[in-house]
Amino acid sequence: MIILDFILPHVGPFALVLARIGGIFLFAPALASPIIPTRVKALLVIALAFVVYPSVGAQPVAGQVDLISLAPLMLGETLIGLAIGLVIAIPVMSVQMGGLLIGQQMGLGLGTVYNPAIDADGDVIGQVLFYLALAIFMSIGGMELLHGALMRTFEYVPLGAFTAGESPLDLLTGVVASGYALAIRVAAPVLCIIMLETISTGVLMKTVPQLNVLTFGFPIKIIAASTMLIAALPFIDQAVRGETMQVIDHVFLWIRSL
């Protein structure tokens, strides 16, 4: 009984910490990948909760916590981690969107492959750029910043105090808009060279109608687009790094405003 009397007061707060940490595993880059078994994710969440709880367990929980009120409070805590993971994942997903645009214009749209990292189908170029963006995210310390942002929420948002009105809807809208812009920036060099190749091929077809454009036009398009994509990789790297760091800064600003 003495042990139970000591443990029971910590069950509610620990469940809220567990829910907030578990939220980032729903959309965060790498952590949300189906490649990681569900049991491993659950063990990671529990282990992180045990590490984090001693530093935040002394926080008073907003309101009286019982079995009935615990469920909506856990939902609110999950939304915090979910929002942080989703917002930070958008730049990585935007790069894959840019790769999808490139693949469609290169004529590789029919060659879709399964991307296990996001549990969805995509073309080869999109998958390559996705893993490139994921590598950039890891190289700039994105995973550490992700967990740092989550830990910062415990300083500004007491356990059980988060409400739906504090959801980062404006932040999410802005990040989605900038994500579309990032996708266009990633695809723009290749799309431009494909447009020039298409115009050149059309002029050549009108000038020398005896040539079979379909015979040499498709390989030339792939070679030109692949060459431009390789040449544009340093600029893509710079764009992804800048966009990712800007999004992470906005996430920290949103946390401070809570």
Side-chain angles (χ1 to χ4, degrees):
M1 290 297 296
I2 298 177
I3 297 178
L4 289 178
D5 292 339
F6 175 77
I7 294 177
L8 286 178
H10 295 277
V11 172
F14 181 79
L16 298 181
V17 173
L18 193 71
R20 187 179 297 193
I21 294 175
I24 65 172
F25 282 78
L26 298 177
F27 287 105
L31 296 179
S33 173
I35 297 178
I36 304 176
T38 304
R39 293 182 179 179
V40 175
K41 291 182 182 179
L43 289 175
L44 286 174
V45 172
I46 295 173
L48 289 174
F50 273 112
V51 173
V52 172
Y53 180 73
S55 63
V56 300
Q59 289 186 3
V61 178
Q64 193 68 26
V65 177
D66 52 30
L67 292 178
I68 298 177
S69 61
L70 187 61
L73 292 179
M74 289 185 66
L75 177 60
E77 295 297 317
T78 304
L79 287 176
I80 297 177
L82 185 149
I84 294 174
L86 176 60
V87 171
I88 294 180
I90 288 177
V92 178
M93 304 302 296
S94 300
V95 176
Q96 185 184 23
M97 183 186 298
L100 180 62
L101 294 175
I102 294 173
Q104 290 288 341
Q105 295 302 314
M106 290 176 62
L108 303 178
L110 296 178
T112 58
V113 293
Y114 176 72
N115 186 352
I118 58 174
D119 195 20
D121 293 333
D123 59 17
V124 176
I125 303 298
Q127 189 165 348
V128 169
L129 290 182
F130 171 81
Y131 284 113
L132 174 63
L134 189 59
I136 294 173
F137 175 78
M138 294 294 186
S139 67
I140 63 176
M143 195 62 66
E144 291 80 3
L145 293 172
L146 173 66
H147 287 91
L150 183 66
M151 288 300 300
R152 187 66 62 86
T153 61
F154 290 104
E155 301 178 10
Y156 293 92
V157 185
L159 295 177
F162 185 78
T163 61
E166 298 171 338
S167 300
L169 297 180
D170 294 337
L171 172 62
L172 183 60
T173 303
V175 172
V176 169
S178 65
Y180 279 107
L182 177 62
I184 298 299
R185 290 165 58 192
V186 169
V190 180
L191 296 182
C192 290
I193 200 67
I194 289 176
M195 182 185 68
L196 293 176
E197 185 275 337
T198 303
I199 294 174
S200 302
T201 304
V203 172
L204 185 61
M205 182 182 64
K206 293 297 183 181
T207 305
V208 187
Q210 294 82 4
L211 292 176
N212 188 352
V213 178
L214 295 178
T215 302
F216 67 89
F218 186 69
I220 290 178
K221 178 182 293 186
I222 293 179
I223 293 173
S226 300
T227 303
M228 177 56 69
L229 180 60
I230 294 173
L233 285 179
F235 303 99
I236 294 175
D237 175 80
Q238 184 178 0
V240 175
R241 288 176 183 272
E243 182 70 20
T244 303
M245 292 304 301
Q246 185 177 5
V247 168
I248 293 176
D249 290 339
H250 284 305
V251 169
F252 277 98
L253 289 176
W254 169 67
I255 294 173
R256 295 191 189 100
S257 66
L258 294 176

